[in-house]
Amino acid sequence: MIIERRHIEVSGIPVEIRRKAIKNLHVGVYPPDGKVRVAAPPHFDDEAVRLAIVSRLGWIRRQQQGFARQARESAREMVTGESHYFGGRRYRLDVVERPGNPRVRVVNNSTLELQVRPGADRAARRQTLDRWYRRQLKARIPELLAAWEPVVGVVVSDCRIKRMKTRWGSCNIEARRVWLNLELAKKSPRCLEYILVHEMVHLLERHHNKHFRALMNQCMPDWHLRKDELNETPLAHEEWDY
């Protein structure tokens, strides 16, 4: 629950402060344009937040530069001829209007055929495609968990999918529940595995510290390469808000 929300500027960088009933201060840099947001305990005054930002200026600017370089998809109109991604590959969308239940299928390893009812608008078309993405991603989870749970040494009680704007994944340590971003259906299997393992390791170590990195190195030695691969893929077009 947010107790207070205010804005300051540090070294020319706008910073949003959200004071919450938490123990530690957290600094985040968020897509698409590198907005800086700080979650701070109530007893951290603006000067304490300012000092925290100053100590992280190099990291913040690197994150912002990374977002600036990353390609972004244009808004999708959901019409024939557009490019859409699935499993790390690009496909040409072919919209077919016909009576019956909407569905999606891969044709000749090059085309996503989107069958919709006559007159279906862009929102309905996107909803049909998103439902298909969700089913495809959900179907891959049991096999991945079976493969990685023994490696990481954890058991995931539940793995769910939702659309997230600022994260590829998240987890609830107490419930041992993992959430995956629906957008991962569009990314390569290597990227999907990386995010799943990343969140599973968080069940052992909450923070991105040396212990976390050591666990990642142990479980997935090439995780840095997978992370770079994911960061080089286009960001989905969104109406971003915070």
Side-chain angles (χ1 to χ4, degrees), residues 29 33 39 60 78 86 123 160 174 195-196 202 235 237:
V29 183
D33 55 2
I60 289 171
M78 305 304 297
F86 172 58
R160 302 183 184 180
E174 290 71 26
I195 294 299
L196 178 61
H202 272 311
L235 290 171
H237 175 85

Side-chain angles (χ1 to χ4, degrees), residues 42-100:
H43 64 275
F44 273 64
D45 60 18
D46 286 2
E47 186 58 26
V49 173
R50 189 181 302 276
L51 291 173
I53 293 295
V54 169
S55 70
R56 295 167 171 82
L57 276 177
W59 174 80
I60 289 171
R61 296 194 189 282
R62 288 194 298 274
Q63 298 299 307
Q64 291 178 329
Q65 289 166 4
F67 287 133
R69 290 192 301 267
Q70 191 164 5
R72 292 181 179 84
E73 296 179 355
S74 58
R76 292 301 189 250
E77 298 298 326
M78 305 304 297
V79 296
T80 294
E82 282 183 336
S83 293
H84 287 257
Y85 289 83
F86 172 58
R89 297 185 57 181
R90 186 170 64 181
Y91 292 83
R92 177 184 181 274
L93 188 68
D94 183 21
V95 180
V96 178
E97 294 191 0
R98 65 177 56 153

